[in-house]
Amino acid sequence: MDHPPTRRGRLRVYLGAAPGVGKTYKMLDEGQRRAARGTDVVVGYVDTHGRVHTAEQLDGLEVVPRQRLAYGGSTYEEMDLAAVLARRPEVALVDELAHTNVAGAGHVKRWEDVEALLDAGIDVVTTVNVQHLESLNDVVESITGIRQRETVPDQVVRSADAVELVDMSPQALRRRLAHGNVYAADKVDAALSRYFREGNLSALRELALLWVADQVDEGLARYRQQHRIDATWPTRERIVVAVTGGPESPTLLRRAALIAGRTTRGEWMAVYVTRRDGLSGTSPDQLARQHAMVHDMGGSFHTVVADDVAGGLLEFARAENASQILIGASRRPRWSAAFRPGVGERVIAGSGDIDVHIVSHDEARRGARDRDRRPDLGRGRTILGYVLGLVAPALTALLLYTTNDLHDLTLESMLMLSVVVVVALVGGLVPAMLAAVLSAILLNWFFVAPVHTLTIAQGQYVAVIAVFVVVGVAVASVVDLAAGRAAQARRASAEADALSVLSHSLLRAGESLPALLAQATEVFGMRGAAILTRTGDGWATTVAHGDAPESVADADVDVPIDESTFLVLRGRTLDASDRRLVTAYAAHAGVVIERTHAAEEHARAHELAEADRTRTALLAAVSHDLRSPLAAIKAAVTSLRNDDITWSEQDEADLLMTIEESADRLDALVANLLDMSRLRTGALTVLATDVDVVELARIAVAPLADADRVEVRGEQGVPPAYADPGLLERVLANLCENALKHTTSRVLVQVSGYVESDGAPRTCIRVVDHGPGVDDSDLDRLFAPFQRLGDVPQGDGVGLGLAVARGLTEAMSGRLEAEETPGGGLTFVLTLPQAVVRSPATPEEETR
């Protein structure tokens, strides 16, 4: 009876950078050592590749016979898993972990066979090359140009109890290869010049070393966790840099990357600590940009949730076995550390054996000053506060002294304290403190016995005066703080209103970058604004307003929209709250730019769809309209060449006329197609000159069939048009041909020229027919390609004549419209720029 194994087997992997480094030799040597110690070792599968020294290591080891499998007309040998399991050794040696088994062997992959042995409680020693690891497959292909079809999941190797690197320098491996110790002699030259190039081997060796180093780090982390070791073991430099999302963070990130780059295996991590309640004053856009900056500089970005920033930072650093912590210098005033230590002080106090670097930056003190300053107090108001702090207590004391019989010290103290509060509201804390001290002195001088001296006769009044000063200063501090908070609230409300207006404009605005820049210039009191894009040679202006800067260096304010685009303003510097609002404008500009790009992409997609629709319609129309005249020509020519039939002169003339008419139809069709193609691709060239439109109309009508049904006339003195004669002739021919198709043989088509006098003088041509006409709703569709409105035979053109006519007219800066003919029919109105009328030359000018 079989008993289930009491434990899972242990896996040992010999990892090599390339074939030939000695993995199989090391595996067999391990088997020999274990067998010498009395361990039951068998060889499940080993491929010596004909290497003599490797084959010698098999001496004395039991080899389980392989199973032979037929596949594709050949016979292959695979490990006999069932036989090894039945043998139940203590240790099985299994070569080539990533090998793919032949169909019929049981498992698809050899590593699955190894898993079965481990599950059975059998220890396994195996081999694998780094290029066979699944996660490195693409990297190895980019290095060697060869994609490995046989791979093993990284987790299989990572779960091994021991991974040992079999290392050999590229030069030594190439010497082994050249001596014939790896491949047969006929394969050596090809291998050395391809896969086994020194650069390839160096890169593969580095991959193997780094992969094993990561495994060692993971093992060390597990060991420290299992044994609850919190102390830092500086096996490599790991640097943790604290980021806040503020303007000083890029300085810290660059310093961390610089320190990490000074060591061979240095690693650095940026950490952002956010509160558990989710409240933060950090801009998400700033964090996103700094996250991208960390990635670009080779670091990793992490977010830690903690109520205490210092505690969360230290906890992360210890968990990552960090050796150094970088923190920016505090932006708080120095005196605040006496009441509550800052993050830097607390990190230093709790760092233990982790080195802490405090990095100075430009925002260290400027930020504190900007934060502490009352935003609504100007120089004039501050001066007024000092004046009021000196004058108001004196006037109040004088007033109270003159009415001394009406009140006592209690009321006098309250009134003087009220003066201190008023001074705090007007001038802030410092003037209020001055008023509190002065009020205390005046109370003592005028109202505490003995009066008119600074001497205090009774001890209780000393306490009264001291409490008055303390309460006055405290009340002034509270009032000043409340006034500051009120000012900040008003500023935040104004900022929220501006953002609301901005959001509303975003919802209803189109591509309005000029309007956005104009609004930003007005809101912030700037002279100009622009959106700049970084180019290889400098900066390119996308859009500008006012006195706009031409580069980021010329701007007083610059806010990034994306990696290469900036919103810049010129006029003055802004404080932090205004810069937040500028960031909102930059985000708005980014949305507008993205919307513009999306619209351009949509337009391009629409053009492609329209071109596809045109091609489809063209094929549908041309398939018949090209075939019909060609078929008529072929039939007529075949008939004329038929010697079995004797044709009369009239019959021959009719057949030749059929050929001529069909050829004319083909010529007109091809001309329209070429014209439409030139219009679609913008390849049309216009050579405008002065043109007599009436005379040109007669020339255009002459070649048409039924030209005698076209009447051309013009008003007296119709001025010439400024147009391309060839294109205009084509337009008139198409219009007249269309009119002739839609009228009966008894109705004339009238072409007339005249002058349009409204606005700028223009020369006009009317082509009038009295056919069936079209509905008003179809007038716009007349000029669309491939349209046949009305009762027109399908074989009579592809519907391009009017589309080409309008396109050619617009190319000549003209206009072509259709309107209903009074009494029935359709009238085309062609309007063209009038030629410049030149005065006759004088005799003197003619002789020059």
Side-chain angles (χ1 to χ4, degrees), residues 490-836:
R490 289 192 298 271
R491 194 179 191 88
S493 176
E495 184 176 336
D497 291 341
L499 290 174
S500 175
V501 172
L502 188 63
S503 301
H504 181 66
S505 64
L506 176 60
L507 292 175
R508 59 186 175 83
E511 289 66 36
S512 54
L513 287 177
L516 178 67
L517 294 182
Q519 185 182 17
T521 304
E522 179 181 357
V523 168
F524 298 109
M526 296 293 185
R527 298 199 309 271
I531 293 177
L532 304 180
T533 302
R534 193 193 309 274
T535 63
D537 300 331
W539 296 93
T541 301
T542 302
V543 63
H545 174 79
D547 181 18
E550 297 180 354
S551 68
V552 171
D554 296 337
D556 294 309
V557 179
D558 62 275
V559 178
I561 297 174
D562 55 35
E563 294 181 356
S564 60
T565 309
F566 285 76
L567 171 63
V568 294
L569 299 99
R570 173 182 286 167
R572 63 186 180 91
T573 58
L574 300 178
D575 57 24
S577 59
D578 284 337
R579 287 188 67 88
R580 287 198 300 270
L581 190 55
V582 175
T583 302
Y585 275 86
H588 187 165
V591 172
V592 174
I593 292 173
E594 290 180 1
R595 180 185 296 167
T596 303
H597 290 166
E600 292 173 353
E601 291 294 331
H602 177 74
R604 282 193 288 268
H606 178 72
E607 290 177 1
L608 291 175
E610 183 66 21
D612 185 66
R613 189 192 69 81
T614 301
R615 284 193 296 269
T616 302
L618 177 61
L619 290 174
V622 170
S623 60
H624 178 271
D625 294 304
L626 277 177
R627 192 177 302 152
S628 296
L630 286 174
I633 292 173
K634 182 174 178 57
V637 171
T638 302
S639 300
L640 289 172
R641 296 187 63 186
N642 190 345
D643 297 333
D644 297 335
I645 303 176
T646 302
W647 301 102
S648 64
E649 292 183 1
Q650 183 61 41
D651 292 336
E652 289 182 357
D654 291 340
L655 290 174
L656 290 174
M657 182 175 292
T658 299
I659 294 173
E660 184 178 8
E661 291 177 350
S662 298
D664 289 340
R665 285 177 55 193
L666 278 177
D667 180 65
L669 175 61
V670 171
N672 280 333
L673 289 173
L674 290 176
D675 287 339
M676 181 55 65
S677 174
R678 291 159 63 198
L679 288 169
R680 292 274 182 174
T681 58
L684 185 67
T685 302
V686 178
L687 301 175
T689 185
D690 296 352
V691 179
D692 185 336
V693 294
V694 177
E695 184 61 30
L696 187 65
R698 294 191 178 96
I699 296 172
V701 170
L704 298 179
D706 295 333
D708 55 337
R709 291 201 295 118
V710 179
E711 180 184 4
V712 179
R713 61 187 180 183
E715 296 178 354
Q716 184 69 27
V718 176
Y722 188 69
D724 186 311
L727 299 183
L728 181 56
E729 181 181 348
R730 190 102 183 98
V731 170
L732 293 172
N734 283 359
L735 294 178
C736 293
E737 186 177 17
N738 180 81
L740 290 170
K741 290 177 183 175
H742 292 81
T743 55
T744 62
S745 58
R746 297 186 300 275
V747 180
L748 292 177
V749 173
Q750 298 171 341
V751 179
S752 59
Y754 66 99
V755 179
E756 184 181 77
S757 58
D758 295 339
R762 300 176 73 84
T763 300
C764 300
I765 305 171
R766 283 180 178 269
V767 179
V768 182
D769 70 59
H770 297 278
V774 297
D775 295 335
D776 292 341
S777 59
D778 290 332
L779 287 177
D780 290 336
R781 294 175 54 205
L782 274 173
F783 301 100
F786 312 111
Q787 295 291 329
R788 294 190 186 93
L789 302 181
D791 187 16
V792 180
Q794 284 294 317
D796 202 5
V798 294
L800 281 176
L802 296 181
V804 169
R806 170 169 276 187
L808 296 179
T809 302
E810 292 175 350
M812 295 183 290
S813 302
R815 187 174 66 250
L816 178 60
E817 296 173 339
E819 58 186 35
E820 183 180 359
T821 301
L826 195 64
T827 298
F828 291 101
V829 181
L830 174 63
T831 306
L832 294 168
Q834 193 175 109
V836 178

Side-chain angles (χ1 to χ4, degrees), residues 1 144 207 285 357 520 565 603:
M1 179 178 179
T144 65
L207 285 177
D285 292 337
H357 302 270
T565 309

Side-chain angles (χ1 to χ4, degrees), residues 305-454:
V305 179
D307 290 329
D308 178 47
V309 175
L313 187 62
L314 287 171
E315 183 179 355
F316 177 85
R318 292 194 182 98
E320 294 295 329
N321 196 25
S323 58
Q324 301 181 50
I325 297 177
L326 264 68
I327 302 177
S330 176
R331 287 182 285 178
R332 303 168 64 206
R334 291 187 178 90
W335 57 264
S336 65
F339 299 95
R340 184 174 184 272
V343 174
E345 289 85 353
R346 284 179 285 150
V347 169
I348 292 173
S351 62
D353 52 0
I354 304 176
D355 296 335
V356 179
H357 302 270
I358 303 297
V359 180
S360 62
H361 52 85
D362 293 339
E363 304 293 326
R365 296 304 167 201
R366 184 172 60 192
R369 292 195 299 270
D370 291 344
R371 183 173 58 251
D372 293 339
R373 186 183 297 122
R374 279 276 295 277
D376 61 332
L377 295 183
R379 180 180 179 86
R381 186 167 173 178
T382 302
I383 294 175
L384 178 61
Y386 280 109
V387 173
L388 193 62
L390 292 172
V391 174
L395 292 177
T396 305
L398 182 61
L399 178 63
L400 292 175
Y401 182 74
T402 57
T403 58
N404 192 22
D405 297 336
L406 302 178
H407 43 75
D408 58 7
L409 184 60
T410 302
L411 180 60
E412 293 158 359
S413 300
M414 292 299 100
L415 291 175
M416 296 296 284
L417 187 61
S418 300
V419 172
V420 175
V421 172
V422 172
V423 173
L425 288 173
V426 174
L429 179 60
V430 177
M433 294 174 65
L434 175 64
V437 174
L438 181 59
S439 297
I441 294 173
L442 292 173
L443 279 174
N444 182 25
W445 183 269
F446 287 108
F447 306 110
V448 176
V451 296
H452 301 153
T453 68
L454 295 179

